[in-house]
Amino acid sequence: MFEKTDYDVVIVGGGPAGLWSARKFAEEGLSAIVIDKKQEIGVPVRCGEGLGNTWFNRLNLTPDPDWAVQEMYGAALWSPSGKKLEIRFPEVSGYLLERRIFEKDLARRAARAGAEIVTKTYVTDAIKEGTFARGVKARMQGEKVEFTGKLVVAADGFESTIGRMFGLQNQQTLYHSDSGYEYEMAGLKMDDPDLIHLYFGNEVAPRGYVWIFPKGKDYANVGIGIGADNPKTAKYYLDKWVNSSPVCKGASIVQVNGGGIPVGGMLKNMVGDGIMLVGDAAHQVSPIHGGGMGLAMEASNVMVEVAAKAIKAGNVSEAALSEYNTTWWNLRGYELEKLVRIRQLFEKLTDKDMETFAAAFTGPELLKFAYSDKITSAALATTKLIKHPSLLKLALKYLDADPKE
Amino acid sequence: MKAQCNTDKCIYCGACVGVCPVGALTLDETRIVIDKKKCIGCGACAKICPAGAMTVKEGE
């Protein structure tokens, strides 16, 4: 099956970050292996499975009908009382993915480029040489194997135990995590499967939202993300919502999944001697909506560029690899840190605040607000404040939100 | 106080592993393994668990 156990790069975790990185390393002429503990790449799916066009463009990725199963034209945001803010684009704005097929495709591409992948292989221990990461010990389907390399990449998701094995502090705090639960449901009665539907409210999903991501006319990924420190479970809130929603009446749950989501902003330091973190393990997730697929793959590009240079120069020290920190933070880090503040505002909104907002804005206005220059946005905000003085309270909550909290 | 996992409810997502402050939890191939010697009973795992499978109870 495989002839050697010594590589340039040992990647732990075969999700979008690990598989994307593996292909990139191979394209750089480096040997790479992806080690995944699961029996099958792409399963289980811990994800809402939506990917916007921005990401397809940034990643130079072409939507393949094998896995880009449904076109997405925008979003419908539902207030607690059921008022809808509809944001609809004239053209396709993104796709809903069959992620298990998408990841298989990423694996195929990685293998085609020359990378290796092993499944049902569980990492048990770190291999170190002084302060340097040099590989991992693993149980591979009953066999003990040591995978060694010049560099270890921890792409092991929210669990992020690999980074910690090598002394990197990438543990998730409860406050900065979301708890997610999701169903794949068949036989849904959806009015508008061209849009993703997001449902807000402190009784619906405290510090989060319920989503319907349609993957067909009557088939969708229906899930929830809530603040992880909630005393009730994500399942409790999702079941409550599903049981009372006319959309889900009579529908069947054909798959159950869940997971933690690192929404508190990205790690400042993602490298050590001979080790790099990428994807959820580096908290590369949007603090607003919890999506991380696009960021994980884009960060992989940045990481591989730095890593390949370091490996070829024979220096994989923390100092040499730290260019990944600076490049990535300049590219996305600071942008996302601003979103942490918006997230903190969102967490402070009462149901009444949400209704105020939903009553004041229309979908097209929201779009205009988001995509206009500062002066146009400010003018629109001022007009809205005059018409809806209660919006001022929301603005003050925003100014009060401290991103360092 | 120690963490416990109800395997009937557990969906093996690993959320608890990610928030355990002392590294007492691991998601083995098919199960959550709790190192009772390391567990400090803080309950972070129980709070994040989306399925309500993790609890913290009196015990060894």
Side-chain angles (χ1 to χ4, degrees), chain A residues 213-235:
Chain A
F213 281 12
K215 290 161 89 172
K217 278 189 169 51
D218 61 353
Y219 196 64
N221 182 316
V222 181
I224 191 170
I226 61 168
D229 45 11
N230 193 290
K232 291 203 175 82
T233 64
K235 181 181 190 299

Side-chain angles (χ1 to χ4, degrees), chain A residues 80 96 133 145 154 161 171 222 287 300 310 395:
Chain A
L96 268 300
V145 189
T161 51
Q171 187 215 318
V222 181
S300 298

Side-chain angles (χ1 to χ4, degrees), chain A residues 86-154:
Chain A
E86 192 176 290
I87 301 169
R88 191 186 292 269
F89 296 91
E91 318 237 315
V92 176
S93 67
Y95 293 86
L96 268 300
L97 313 186
E98 270 298 351
R99 194 169 143 176
R100 63 198 159 84
I101 301 172
F102 176 60
E103 283 186 31
K104 287 265 170 51
D105 193 32
L106 292 182
R108 251 179 252 146
R109 292 177 196 210
R112 208 175 288 143
E116 289 182 42
I117 299 158
V118 287
T119 52
K120 201 168 165 60
T121 302
Y122 183 75
V123 170
T124 52
D125 219 341
I127 302 173
K128 294 177 201 167
E129 203 179 286
T131 57
F132 279 78
R134 279 286 180 249
V136 291
K137 293 180 185 171
R139 286 200 308 266
M140 191 182 75
Q141 296 149 43
E143 234 182 290
K144 282 184 180 166
V145 189
E146 295 191 1
F147 296 97
T148 52
K150 299 181 177 84
L151 180 76
V152 175
V153 169

